[in-house]
Amino acid sequence: MALPHALENLSQVAADYDILLCDVWGVIHNGRESWPQACDALTRFNQAGGHVVLISNSPRPASDVIAQLDHLGVPRDSWRAFVTSGDATRAELAQRAPGPAWIIGPPRDEILYEGLDLARAEGAHDAAFLSVTGMIDDEAETPEDYRVPLTQAAARDLELICANPDRIVQRGDKIIYCGGSLADLYESLGGRVTMAGKPYGPIYALALAEAERLLGRPVDRSRVLCIGDGVVTDVLGANQQALDCLFIAQGIHGDAARGDDGRIDPARAAALLTAETAYARYAALELKW
């Protein structure tokens, strides 16, 4: 079991990188409030000559999520570009228009479909495919609430497009199920799933294109550091792209990687990673400069 290097501060390795591909939810905010230390670390990286590209599994386009970041107090100077799973997923949906699509998700995600000319299906019986952003009421529902309709869709061999590969996120002090948990259930029922967000390639192609634009030259991938708290999304995504990764081991993992001395325990962090056949070069409890 390869152990990640324990990091107390981003400044210890910042000079080794030109680009940070930084996760959002779980690293710089929890859906209710932003974390000043993490935001400050990103701001300082930018001030030192680097470029932060936020890379989020939000199912909405980045242009819509920016208002949420502003509301949570994430400073604009802590990032230089922003790409989302929603941005990458719109291309997948456009290829399948006009559908009809059976759309599952909360009303706030409707912006994902604007301008795509998708017809709407009422359910599995009249759909050409499914598009999922999450639970309709993610404060109360779980994937099991969707087992019956998803079983019907799988029986028709309908493809499910999942705009948010995250399984869970932490909203305040509560764990919320995301679109990825519905995709997992659908696959377990024999259904076909397509995803463009982390850990899949399309969102990284968008993020690295933004990095190239910011640098004004081709990206040296050895000087790109991915930062995230999701093992099966952020860390595996970095691994599949052969990019270095800083695993933020707090958040959805609680104190599982905290040592008896209150600091990051590389062995405990490695146990979280290897359970999903993942590896991170660095691990920290939280992001700070």
Side-chain angles (χ1 to χ4, degrees):
M1 180 172 65
L3 300 184
H5 299 289
L7 277 191
E8 290 296 321
N9 304 294
L10 179 63
S11 58
Q12 294 172 246
V13 298
D16 296 334
Y17 300 99
D18 302 318
I19 298 291
L20 299 183
L21 300 186
C22 187
D23 182 36
V24 178
W25 202 315
V27 176
I28 62 176
H29 75 71
N30 66 359
R32 296 281 173 84
E33 59 188 352
S34 61
W35 294 318
Q37 280 193 138
C39 294
D40 177 66
L42 299 183
T43 298
R44 288 173 179 267
F45 183 82
N46 283 332
Q47 291 172 341
H51 301 283
V52 174
V53 179
L54 298 182
I55 178 169
S56 167
N57 267 351
S58 169
R60 290 173 285 147
S63 57
D64 186 64
V65 185
I66 289 171
Q68 179 190 28
L69 297 186
D70 290 343
H71 176 73
L72 292 172
V74 177
R76 289 283 183 105
D77 60 3
S78 66
W79 54 276
R80 296 270 171 80
F82 188 14
V83 299
T84 68
S85 180
D87 294 325
T89 302
R90 280 178 60 85
E92 296 289 338
L93 294 172
Q95 292 174 15
R96 293 160 178 80
W102 180 26
I103 291 172
I104 300 174
R108 65 176 179 271
D109 294 338
E110 281 295 312
I111 193 170
L112 175 68
Y113 306 103
E114 285 188 2
L116 292 178
D117 296 323
L118 275 175
R120 303 292 184 106
E122 294 183 2
H125 65 282
D126 63 342
F129 69 93
L130 288 71
S131 178
V132 172
T133 62
M135 318 291 149
I136 295 172
D137 181 0
D138 58 16
E139 289 284 342
E141 293 178 326
T142 74
E144 282 303 309
D145 292 307
Y146 292 83
R147 178 176 290 274
V148 172
L150 290 183
T151 299
Q152 296 168 351
R156 290 197 56 221
D157 193 33
L158 298 180
E159 180 186 25
L160 185 152
I161 310 298
C162 179
N164 180 358
D166 284 352
R167 274 72 176 175
I168 58 173
V169 294
Q170 186 178 16
R171 181 180 293 157
D173 57 359
K174 186 176 182 179
I175 295 298
I176 301 293
Y177 286 101
C178 301
S181 61
L182 285 177
D184 284 348
L185 173 59
Y186 197 61
E187 284 189 322
S188 75
L189 296 170
R192 296 181 291 126
V193 172
T194 295
M195 293 189 269
K198 298 176 290 184
Y200 302 98
I203 193 171
Y204 289 95
L206 288 178
L208 291 171
E210 286 294 313
E212 186 169 313
R213 178 185 64 81
L214 291 166
L215 288 169
R217 57 175 169 79
V219 175
D220 179 351
R221 295 171 74 97
S222 71
R223 293 186 60 81
V224 176
L225 178 65
C226 299
I227 303 175
D229 67 323
V231 177
V232 298
T233 51
D234 301 303
V235 182
L236 279 180
N239 294 167
Q240 291 169 13
Q241 296 295 316
L243 299 171
D244 285 351
C245 185
L246 166 56
F247 172 47
I248 301 300
Q250 219 163 237
I252 59 174
H253 303 288
D255 289 329
R258 186 184 295 274
D260 295 337
D261 60 358
R263 303 168 72 179
I264 184 75
D265 183 327
R268 294 180 183 180
L272 293 171
L273 296 165
T274 55
E276 302 292 346
T277 322
Y279 168 74
R281 184 170 185 180
Y282 308 107
L285 289 177
E286 58 187 348
L287 180 62
K288 58 183 180 178
W289 184 249

